[in-house]
Amino acid sequence: MEKPNNKNFANTASRISAIASSVMDLHVRIALQEVDREKRRLISGGIFLAIGSTLLLLVLICIHIIFYLFLKNFNNWNIEYNLLLIMFIDLFLAGLSLKLGGKLAKGPYLPQTLEGLGKTTKAVLGKK
């Protein structure tokens, strides 16, 4: 009588371990898909940020020209003082943006995501 019970227990244990293994495989596949999605999202976000930054730079140059012309007509300062005022305003805004961007960019990234981003960056830059 003991042999059928042991055989039953062995069959049940093997079925449970097979189910657990299948569930673990499923979770590993889902986790790998999430890593791939994360990597794609970050790369796509970086590309769109670069495009937006380039366009924003062109707009900022136009705004600087307009602001300089406004200052030239508004006050009787020398050209250098007007440009210094614009530079100090830019310096303040740049520092504020970098501080805020640095805080927002911090985040818990998966090691696989960081490794994939490193590989992609090296491939884009042409490094081995």
Side-chain angles (χ1 to χ4, degrees), residues 3-86:
K3 291 204 178 203
N5 282 340
N6 279 343
K7 201 172 196 182
N8 235 357
F9 179 73
N11 281 340
T12 305
S14 70
R15 286 181 184 168
I16 290 174
S17 67
I19 290 173
S21 174
S22 175
V23 169
M24 286 303 294
D25 286 342
L26 179 65
H27 284 301
V28 167
R29 281 191 212 137
I30 291 171
L32 289 174
Q33 287 175 355
E34 287 297 321
V35 168
D36 285 341
R37 280 191 204 144
E38 184 77 10
K39 186 171 44 172
R40 273 183 283 186
R41 182 183 64 85
L42 290 173
I43 291 170
S44 299
I47 290 171
F48 282 114
L49 282 174
I51 291 170
S53 298
T54 304
L55 293 173
L56 184 62
L57 179 65
L58 294 174
V59 170
L60 286 174
I61 290 171
C62 292
I63 288 173
H64 280 85
I65 292 170
I66 292 169
F67 188 56
Y68 170 74
L69 293 173
F70 172 76
L71 285 176
K72 183 179 172 187
N73 292 333
F74 182 71
N75 59 28
N76 294 328
W77 294 352
N78 289 337
I79 294 173
E80 295 86 14
Y81 294 128
N82 286 333
L83 291 177
L84 275 174
L85 178 64
I86 292 172

Side-chain angles (χ1 to χ4, degrees), residues 118-119 121-123 125-128:
K119 287 180 183 178
T121 304
K122 287 179 184 175
L125 296 176
K127 296 181 179 180
K128 291 183 180 180

Side-chain angles (χ1 to χ4, degrees), residues 56 60 63-64 67 85-101:
L56 184 62
L60 286 174
I63 288 173
H64 280 85
F67 188 56
L85 178 64
I86 292 172
M87 283 177 22
F88 283 128
I89 291 171
D90 286 346
L91 184 64
F92 173 74
L93 292 175
L96 188 66
S97 297
L98 288 173
K99 184 74 172 174
L100 181 63

